[in-house]
Structure formats: structure tokens, C-alpha cells
Amino acid sequence: MNREIRNKVFDIGFRIFGIFSTFLGVILIAIFISSIVQAGFSKIDWNFLTGLPSRFADHAGILTAWTGSLWILALSAIIGIPVGVGAAIFFEEYAPKNSLTRILEINLTNLAGVPSVIYGILGLELFVRSFKMGSSLLAGACTLSLLILPIVIVATREALRAVPQSIRQASFSMGATKWQTIWHQILPASAGGIATGVILALSRAVGEAAPVIVIGALAYVPFVAESPLDDFTVLPIQIFNWVTRPDPEFIVNASAGIIVLLSITFLLNGIAVYLRYRWQKKMKW
Amino acid sequence: MSISMRFIPLFSLLIYAITSDSCQNPVSKRDQILRIDGSSTVFTLSEAIAEEFIKLNPEDRLTIGISGTGGGFRKFARGEISIANASRKIKEIEATACRENGIKYLEIPVAYDGLAIITNSHNGWLKDIKLVELKKIWEPDAQNRIHYWDQIRADYPHQMIKLYGPGTASGTFDYFTEVIVGQSGASRGDFMPSEDDHVLIQGVAGDLASLGFVGLAYYEENIDRVKLVPVDNGSGPVTPSRETILSGRYNPLTRKIYMYVSSQIAQMDQGVEFVHFFLDNAGKFAQDVGFIPLADSEYRQQLSRFSEFLNQN
């Protein structure tokens, strides 16, 4: 009897703790977003979105920053997705289960914990200098692809593992080759999960400032990049730059910039949720 | 079929993505960009002038980075940029790196930057401060000994000294410790540091017995929130202003800021134009962004030095 009451108390206690934890996160984010929106929303208009950088808070726009961020996003996706998904397929479907594979796996997991600025230093030496890409969008995208690679690989492996073994066996027994099985059965079945992981990884890349500053992204770029080899800036750098200015009016611009960056992230996350939902409905075995 | 062969399509796709990007863009276009990088302090001035320059020459391309003075000089020595912004003079080791890579350069002072010593605007007793007192407060040793204002002057109240200053990674911090304590980077550790100068202003504005230092530009944007403390270097308290800085009386908390121009710029029409435009307008824009302009005659002198430099290279 006594023990029963104690267990019930624990049960209720844990439930309260769980509710508290959930709301703590939600409330903090709500406070953050509402204060940012209050400070910066009035600033967002056509002129702000299509304006070039300026020393006057009134005129300063964010065009080169958000276009730079979209460039980085697209290029990182083009570079990071094939490599990341390819590596994950190798690990899950091809790699023999031996100690070499295990060492590779452990290293990969560790890569996810490396501070992002370290990737910047690597990118500076490797892409900017050795490959002579200069401080270009391409060098930035390659660096950020490395950064998100571990996340893409881990998420893709999870998605591949969720495909039932019976599907593979059925495919093989129908005489399909391994590649046919992967291409026609496993990848379509896991596409929702892969897309979710990839998009979450990309939304991380879009918010990074440290590695792109190290590879030489700029603070003042008065033109929109037209090719992957152009110089660039991104939203986080523009926001940081505005926050550190003497004129307090720029704080409003920074808040507006944060709203733009958050919108991109939310949009990406929304797409991830949608894709997962759609693919789940489509898959019928 | 071996495993690696199955991945050839993926890799060739990747390589195609990279190379096709680069094929569309002839290298010559990139070379026409005037690249400026270096000190984030000097950035505000360069940006102001670049903004006006671009308005007049919308076809010209230029970019400005904020890698810091040291980072800027490293790129400068590698020939990656044509103008380095610097909040201090080039160091011997950086100059050697330039020589080794065949980079010739011209040092052009562009404005004065003053450090403002600030306190709370309601603080009635802190009317001025001597250099020795600043040193006594900020030197590394002070952390264990100096805690109250009445240790500085006997008639000050027995209140905790609350200190605010830029973070240890900033050039402003290096400069302050160098001229006040005597060694760059040497400071007590128990002050409130922030890389964000707004936080420093906020801290000083909320703390009656506070003392802090920021770039003059930050003080000027917040005149109504904090109070300037005149600095006494032995010949009486001096408030930083155009007059006291130009005459050299606000010493030593004044430094010159520079731009270093590489000989590469001679091959770059818009680069030469930009430097001319810069020196023609630096006085006006320096004022706008919170620096103290050099004397007009000095800008003219720098212009003729620049022409000479171009002729030699």
C-alpha cells in the first residue's frame, strides 16, 4: 500500500516535471520571438529586403545578406546531400561489419561534436587556399557541407534502418540487384526521413556565422552574388555587424534581420514536417 | 562490381556541379573586385566611404571584410586583398611577410580614434582621472588590492569600483592596456568585459560608482546615458574633442587609424579612384562615423604621397 502511494507520487511528480520542462522551452522561445518581432517587425518592408548595406540605419537593407544565405543553402544542399546520403547508404547497405567500419562510424559521430569554427579553419586552408576557391560562396558552401555531413549521415542511416528488412529480402528474391533494391525500394521508402534530416541540417548551416567568418565572408558586399565564385555575406554576419554598431538604431535592423533568418529556418522546418507527413502517407506495403 | 564503382555517378555529379560552376565565370571578373579587409574599428569609416563611392560608380565592385587588423595584414601579405584596414601600425613580422611575397605598400593615416573614459551620468564626484590612477585601477595587481573608490582618492566615497571594458580579443582593449598599464593585454581580470559596446554603456549607465572605456564613437551615440571623465596626463584634465585630439593634448588615449594600400592597386582603375575618393572625403565621413578627422592639409599630403607611390610601382 505504502509503496503504491509512493509510486503514484513519483508518477505525478514526473508528469509535472515533464510539463514544466516542455513549457519552459516553449515559453522562453515565445518570449524571445515576441520581443524580436516587437523590436524589428515594423522595419521589415520592401526597401529593407531589397536594400544594399548602408551606414544609415534607415537605409540599410539586407538584400545581399539574404541572397547570400540562399546561395549558401542551395550550394550546401547540392554538395552535402549526395555525399552525405551516399556515405550513409554505404554504411547501411554495403559496408561489411568489421572493425574498420566501426572506427569510421565512431569518427563520424565524433565529427558532429567538433565546434563549427574548427570547420571554418579547415575550410580556409583546404578550400580557400589549397583549392584556390578564394573566399567565395563555393568555399563557404563546401565548408558548411562538411559541417552538416555528420548530421546528414546519421539522419539518413536512421531512415534507412527504419525500412523493414523484409522489403530488402522481397526485392532480392524477385531477382533485383542491390542497386535496384536501393534505388527502387529503400530510397523511396526512406525519402521522408532523409529529407527531414537533410533539411534540419541545412537550417543549421544557414544560421552559422563563425565558420563563414573564418573562411573570409565579408561584412560589406554592395552587390548580389551572381555566381558561386563571387564574394558574399550571409544573414548571421549582417546581424552580428548591426548589433555591434555604435548607433543604437541598428538594433532595430538587427531584430528585423533575425526575423528574416528565423523565417527562413521556420520555412525549412515546415517543409521538413510536410515532407515527412506526405511520404508517410504515400508508403503502402 | 566493386563498391567504389557504384559511387562513380555520385562523385561525377558532384565534380560536375563544382566545375560547371567555375566554367561559367571567367577569372578576370573576380580580379576586378577591390578587396578591403582588416580592423572592424576602421570598417565603419571604410564602409561609409565605400557606400558613397558605389553610389557614384555603381559598376565598380568592392568588398570589405572584418578579419581584424592582424587577420587583414595576413591576407594583405598573401596578396589576397589590395587595402588593409588597420587600427595600429604594421608589425615588423607582418612587414617581413609582405616583403617576402613582393608586396609593396603605402601606409596612409586616415583619422584619429579616441578612447573615452566614462562613468555614470549621476556620478557627481568623479570629475577627472589621472593616468596613474587609471593604471592603479586597471593593472593586473589591482585585482587583489584595489576595490573601493576611496583607495584612489581619499575624498571619494567608500564604494566598490565597478569596471567595464571591451573583451580581451578587441583591439581597443589591447590599445588601452598598452598605453595605460604599459603592456598590451595586461589587465586585472575582474572587470565586466563585453564584445558588445552597448552592453558596456548599459552597465555604466546602471551603476553609480562605475568606470569604463569605449571608443569615442560609442560615447557620442550615448551622450545622454553616460558621462565623459576628463583624463589628466600631468598637465591638467582634458576632455576628448576634435581640438584636444588634433593638438595632441588628449594623450595618450588617442591613436591614429590607417589604411595600407598594396602596389597591386596600380593595376586597378577603380582601386586608384577609390583611394582618391577616400582621401578627398575622409574628413567629412570620419566625423559622421565618430572618428576625429586629420587636418585637411594632412589629407592633401597623403594624396600626393599616394600619387608618388603609384608612379614608383
Side-chain angles (χ1 to χ4, degrees):
Chain A
M1 199 57 202
N2 206 2
R3 170 179 276 179
E4 207 171 293
I5 292 172
R6 214 180 57 193
N7 285 345
K8 272 213 172 106
V9 169
F10 272 128
D11 193 32
I12 294 168
F14 188 76
R15 179 191 293 231
I16 292 172
F17 177 72
I19 292 173
F20 171 76
S21 309
T22 311
F23 277 88
L24 186 68
V26 173
I27 288 172
L28 284 180
I29 286 184
I31 291 173
F32 170 70
I33 291 179
S34 67
S35 74
I36 287 292
V37 167
Q38 234 167 23
F41 192 73
S42 58
K43 177 77 198 164
I44 296 181
D45 55 22
W46 190 247
N47 285 337
F48 181 70
L49 292 175
T50 60
L52 294 177
S54 167
R55 69 186 184 285
F56 300 109
D58 296 350
H59 306 166
I62 205 166
L63 178 69
T64 50
W66 72 258
T67 48
S69 277
L70 288 193
W71 263 109
I72 284 287
L73 191 67
L75 289 175
S76 307
I78 293 173
I79 299 165
I81 294 173
V83 178
V85 173
I89 292 177
F90 171 76
F91 272 123
E92 280 306 308
E93 309 292 334
Y94 290 94
K97 299 271 176 280
N98 58 24
S99 51
L100 180 67
T101 317
R102 257 200 302 283
I103 290 171
L104 281 177
E105 280 178 341
I106 291 169
N107 276 309
L108 206 70
T109 325
N110 283 340
L111 272 185
V114 173
S116 60
V117 70
I118 307 291
Y119 285 95
I121 296 167
L122 175 69
L124 179 68
E125 276 311 317
L126 195 65
F127 301 120
V128 176
R129 298 206 167 129
S130 302
F131 293 176
K132 303 230 182 309
M133 291 179 188
S135 300
S136 62
L137 280 164
L138 187 61
C142 288
T143 307
L144 290 176
S145 304
L146 281 186
L147 177 80
I148 61 171
L149 210 51
I151 314 174
V152 173
I153 293 175
V154 169
T156 305
R157 292 186 64 185
E158 290 296 330
L160 293 176
R161 239 175 273 160
V163 177
Q165 210 54 44
S166 54
I167 298 288
R168 292 183 181 82
Q169 287 156 0
S171 179
F172 289 140
S173 63
M174 298 293 281
T177 62
K178 198 152 197 173
W179 173 247
Q180 284 170 327
T181 305
I182 290 172
W183 188 249
H184 294 289
Q185 303 301 330
I186 298 175
L187 277 182
S190 55
I194 294 176
T196 311
V198 164
I199 288 173
L200 291 180
L202 285 176
S203 58
R204 169 162 181 213
V206 134
E208 282 288 350
V212 278
I213 286 182
V214 174
I215 65 140
L218 301 153
Y220 179 78
V221 185
F223 53 85
V224 174
E226 286 160 7
S227 90
L229 288 181
D230 276 346
D231 295 1
F232 71 105
T233 188
V234 289
L235 283 168
I237 294 181
Q238 183 64 74
I239 293 165
F240 175 72
N241 176 256
W242 277 336
V243 166
T244 54
R245 296 214 171 204
D247 184 352
E249 269 186 61
F250 275 104
I251 299 293
V252 178
N253 289 37
S255 306
I258 292 171
I259 297 175
V260 174
L261 181 58
L262 277 181
S263 310
I264 294 181
T265 316
F266 285 170
L267 188 72
L268 285 174
N269 290 354
I271 293 173
V273 172
Y274 172 74
L275 285 180
R276 163 164 284 183
Y277 171 76
R278 223 193 77 176
W279 251 290
Q280 260 172 7
K281 263 178 47 174
K282 223 176 72 177
M283 282 319 293
K284 284 197 190 99
W285 284 310
Chain B
M1 200 194 278
S2 77
I3 289 163
S4 59
M5 282 195 55
R6 291 171 195 259
F7 281 88
I8 286 173
L10 279 181
F11 286 123
S12 50
L13 190 78
L14 177 67
I15 288 162
Y16 172 76
I18 293 172
T19 51
S20 64
D21 286 340
S22 48
C23 289
Q24 287 162 5
N25 302 282
V27 180
S28 60
K29 195 172 135 197
R30 274 166 59 72
D31 286 350
Q32 284 169 7
I33 296 183
L34 172 63
R35 291 192 168 79
I36 305 170
D37 205 335
S39 160
S40 54
T41 309
V42 187
F43 170 80
T44 50
L45 179 59
S46 294
E47 185 205 35
I49 294 175
E51 190 184 347
E52 296 305 315
F53 182 74
I54 291 289
K55 274 185 197 158
L56 297 175
N57 308 276
E59 295 303 308
D60 286 345
R61 291 195 148 194
L62 69 88
T63 61
I64 312 173
I66 40 170
S67 305
T69 301
F73 276 134
R74 265 196 296 280
K75 291 185 176 180
F76 190 71
R78 286 166 164 268
E80 292 171 358
I81 57 173
S82 308
I83 296 178
N85 287 333
S87 60
R88 58 165 168 78
K89 289 195 174 219
I90 193 167
K91 285 180 183 162
E92 191 43 48
I93 188 166
E94 291 159 342
T96 310
C98 290
R99 265 197 302 279
E100 278 168 3
N101 296 333
I103 304 277
K104 289 186 206 152
Y105 60 83
L106 178 70
E107 171 190 291
I108 304 180
V110 291
Y112 292 102
D113 183 21
L115 282 191
I117 307 294
I118 52 172
T119 187
N120 192 284
S121 35
H122 300 294
N123 183 322
W125 40 266
L126 189 58
K127 295 200 172 68
D128 62 82
I129 195 155
K130 293 193 172 73
L131 285 183
V132 284
E133 292 168 338
L134 278 174
K135 178 168 195 239
K136 195 172 168 189
I137 293 175
W138 281 94
E139 65 189 351
D141 254 9
Q143 182 154 355
N144 305 317
R145 296 184 291 113
I146 308 292
H147 299 291
Y148 295 97
W149 277 107
D150 56 358
Q151 290 175 284
I152 303 302
R153 287 189 202 175
D155 56 339
Y156 285 167
H158 184 72
Q159 285 180 11
M160 284 279 275
I161 307 176
K162 299 281 187 59
L163 294 173
Y164 296 85
T168 52
S170 80
T172 314
F173 175 81
D174 286 347
Y175 182 71
F176 179 84
T177 47
E178 191 182 322
V179 296
I180 295 299
V181 181
Q183 190 193 339
S184 175
S187 156
R188 68 193 294 164
D190 59 343
F191 68 101
M192 256 302 288
S194 176
E195 301 298 338
D196 181 355
D197 298 71
H198 296 294
V199 174
L200 301 179
I201 297 277
Q202 212 166 359
V204 171
D207 218 329
L208 195 63
S210 60
L211 186 75
F213 63 96
V214 291
L216 203 52
Y218 284 91
Y219 164 70
E220 282 174 356
E221 292 289 347
N222 294 282
I223 291 177
D224 47 341
R225 300 183 67 196
V226 293
K227 192 177 86 170
L228 205 54
V229 183
V231 178
D232 184 351
N233 61 5
S235 40
V238 179
T239 316
S241 69
R242 179 176 164 81
E243 191 259 316
T244 56
I245 285 178
L246 275 181
S247 66
R249 282 176 56 219
Y250 191 64
N251 187 31
L253 290 175
T254 304
R255 61 178 170 175
K256 274 186 177 174
I257 55 175
Y258 302 90
M259 103 180 146
Y260 282 73
V261 179
S262 159
S263 49
Q264 286 178 352
I265 215 164
Q267 274 85 52
M268 221 185 259
D269 288 345
Q270 90 260 42
V272 174
E273 273 172 45
F274 178 75
V275 176
H276 277 138
F277 185 82
F278 196 113
L279 289 171
D280 282 339
N281 297 285
K284 176 177 176 302
F285 292 121
Q287 191 95 40
D288 279 3
V289 296
F291 294 120
I292 305 292
L294 309 177
D296 288 342
S297 59
E298 201 167 343
Y299 286 119
R300 281 196 296 277
Q301 191 194 334
Q302 299 306 339
L303 265 175
S304 57
R305 281 181 66 226
F306 180 59
S307 304
E308 234 171 81
F309 174 72
L310 287 180
N311 290 336
Q312 285 166 5
N313 290 289

